[in-house]
């Protein structure tokens, strides 16, 4: 029997019917660092309590300059790790809000119960931040299995606190949840469920059991990067999973890919087309083929220096079925 290898996967660029060109940049997604109070088994960033990498004051100041200089930016999307734990979180929030940008914080919810971070719900409310929070299932066992014992209870308490402050009901306080399936443990792979139907299931259960309300549910597939990739490789499932994703490729998702109008920036100031490329160190290049950093954007006085999105085999994860992105389903 021949073991399948990466050569059996059609290069993503060959699957495309047209070049995946960059569009006008309107979203700045910033990974502030790898520090996190959790170490989830599906984390593509491989974040955790023992990680120390984070934004520097110099890079933070450059990012603030970019936020202030470019009116075309509509959204500043802060992620991590737990973005709230890493240097620069509050200065970036306040700079972006002062510049009239929408600010997303990708929160794990449990951070609110860590020493020194208890004021976060009120801080989010005051600054009218858009919270996108991870709750990979509405059932306790599934959440604790993916994210750690006790995470479900803390997440529920955090959501109740946010509801009390107006999140989920006040039009200026948007609260969205994120579902992701368990990391595949056998070769019977599946795509994410129908987003609209699962959202209703979440809303019904959380309302009945805990009187919790929220705005939207985003279904996000586990992309084979980081801890997900490492686990799949140890179980000899990495190539079969990629083949599964390739077999479900949907050309209709391509126009809506998040990588087309965003820049992903790491804590060192390097620029990528998306967060997954960032984790795989697939740095974006300019028209001359030079690797891009924030410094290049400032020197050129332009955010639009990338012609073509860099792709890899894991891009099949974003384009399989109804698609997957930081904003959920693409169709």
């Amino acid at each position: 029997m021949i073991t399948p290898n990466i050569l059996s996967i059609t290069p993503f660029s060959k699957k495309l019917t047209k070049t995946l060109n960059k569009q006008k940049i309107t979203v700045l997604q910033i990974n502030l660092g790898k520090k996190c109070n959790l170490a989830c088994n599906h984390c593509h960033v491989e974040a955790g309590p023992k990680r120390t990498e984070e934004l520097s004051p110099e890079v933070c100041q450059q990012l603030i300059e970019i936020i202030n200089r470019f009116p075309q930016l509509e959204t500043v999307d802060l992620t991590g790790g737990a973005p709230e734990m890493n240097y620069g979180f509050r200065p970036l929030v306040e700079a972006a809000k002062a510049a009239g940008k929408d600010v997303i914080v990708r929160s794990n919810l449990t951070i609110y119960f860590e020493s020194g971070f208890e004021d976060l719900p009120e801080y989010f409310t005051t600054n009218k931040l858009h919270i996108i929070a991870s709750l990979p299932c509405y059932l306790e066992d599934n959440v604790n299995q993916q994210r750690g014992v006790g995470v479900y209870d803390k997440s529920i308490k955090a959501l109740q606190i946010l509801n009390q402050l107006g999140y989920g009901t006040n039009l200026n306080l948007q609260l969205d949840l994120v579902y992701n399936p368990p990391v595949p443990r056998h070769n019977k792979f599946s795509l994410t469920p129908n987003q609209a139907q699962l959202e209703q299931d979440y809303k019904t259960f959380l309302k009945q059991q805990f009187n919790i309300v929220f705005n939207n549910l985003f279904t996000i597939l586990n992309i084979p990067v980081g801890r997900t990739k490492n686990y799949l490789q140890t179980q000899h499932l990495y190539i079969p999973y990629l083949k599964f994703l390739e077999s479900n490729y949907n050309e209709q998702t391509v126009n809506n890919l998040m990588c087309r109008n965003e820049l992903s920036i790491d804590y060192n100031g390097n620029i990528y087309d998306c967060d997954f490329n960032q984790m795989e160190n697939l740095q974006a290049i300019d028209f001359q083929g030079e690797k891009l950093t924030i410094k290049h954007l400032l020197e050129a006085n332009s955010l639009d220096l990338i012609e073509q999105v860099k792709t890899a085999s894991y891009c099949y994860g974003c384009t399989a079925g109804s698609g997957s992105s930081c904003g959920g389903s693409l169709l």
Side-chain angles (χ1 to χ4, degrees), residues 20 63 72 90 102 261 295:
L20 189 59
L63 287 166
Q72 73 188 72
R90 297 194 188 210
D102 293 327
N261 70 329
K295 184 178 179 181

Side-chain angles (χ1 to χ4, degrees), residues 43-105:
C43 181
H44 69 278
V45 180
E46 301 183 78
K50 296 181 180 180
R51 302 301 293 263
T52 59
E53 306 95 317
E54 65 177 343
L55 205 67
S56 68
E58 179 185 7
V59 173
C60 182
Q61 195 54 49
Q62 290 175 329
L63 287 166
I64 289 173
E65 186 173 351
I66 283 177
I67 289 167
N68 289 331
R69 189 185 295 189
F70 298 103
Q72 73 188 72
L73 278 178
E74 298 172 1
T75 302
V76 176
D77 185 345
L78 302 176
T79 184
E84 307 97 326
M85 292 185 72
N86 291 274
Y87 179 86
F89 174 72
R90 297 194 188 210
L92 287 169
V93 164
E94 287 152 30
K97 293 303 293 186
K101 315 298 184 186
D102 293 327
V103 179
I104 295 172
V105 55

Side-chain angles (χ1 to χ4, degrees), residues 130-321:
H130 176 182
I131 300 174
I132 299 181
S134 178
L135 191 70
C137 184
Y138 54 78
L139 299 176
E140 181 173 7
D141 288 348
N142 291 354
V143 172
N144 287 343
Q145 184 177 358
Q146 289 191 56
R147 309 190 70 205
V149 175
V151 168
Y152 183 80
D153 284 343
K154 287 183 177 180
S155 298
I156 292 299
K157 290 176 184 177
L159 290 171
Q160 290 172 332
I161 291 170
L162 291 173
N163 278 176
Q164 290 168 7
L165 292 168
Y167 271 98
T169 53
N170 186 319
L171 292 177
N172 294 315
L173 299 174
Q174 185 161 337
L175 173 61
D176 298 326
L177 301 183
V178 172
Y179 160 89
N180 63 275
V183 176
R185 299 186 182 279
H186 48 70
N187 60 5
K188 294 181 180 178
F189 306 118
S190 61
L191 301 175
T192 53
N194 177 273
Q195 182 168 282
Q197 180 57 58
L198 188 59
E199 178 178 296
Q200 289 306 309
D201 294 343
Y202 263 71
K203 286 185 172 179
T204 299
F205 184 87
L206 293 176
K207 178 66 175 176
Q208 290 179 348
Q209 299 296 318
F210 306 107
N211 199 32
I212 287 171
V213 296
F214 64 95
N215 296 103
N216 304 297
L217 178 74
F218 300 145
T219 56
I220 298 181
L221 194 65
N222 287 317
I223 306 299
V225 170
R227 289 196 185 115
T228 298
K229 176 182 178 180
N230 295 338
Y231 176 81
L232 290 172
Q233 287 178 327
T234 62
Q235 300 299 310
H236 306 289
L237 293 172
Y238 176 61
I239 300 302
Y241 185 56
L242 283 176
K243 289 292 289 182
F244 167 76
L245 296 176
E246 180 188 349
S247 70
N248 284 278
Y249 171 73
N250 184 351
E251 180 73 21
Q252 294 181 351
T253 63
V254 174
N255 285 339
N256 297 325
L257 286 171
M258 63 184 183
C259 56
R260 304 196 69 181
N261 70 329
E262 81 166 23
L263 296 178
S264 173
I265 301 180
D266 70 12
Y267 50 84
N268 290 317
N270 299 313
I271 295 175
Y272 308 81
D273 292 305
C274 71
D275 196 39
F276 304 119
N277 279 3
Q278 182 182 145
M279 296 311 125
E280 289 289 306
N281 200 30
L282 193 61
Q283 198 166 340
I285 58 175
D286 64 13
F287 300 123
Q288 284 74 45
E290 185 174 358
K291 291 183 177 180
L292 280 176
T293 67
I294 302 176
K295 184 178 179 181
H296 289 103
L297 302 182
L298 293 171
E299 289 175 348
N301 196 33
S302 174
L303 298 179
D304 301 301
L305 301 180
I306 303 170
E307 181 178 13
Q308 190 173 332
V309 174
K310 281 194 171 184
T311 62
S313 56
Y314 48 79
C315 296
Y316 285 118
C318 294
T319 54

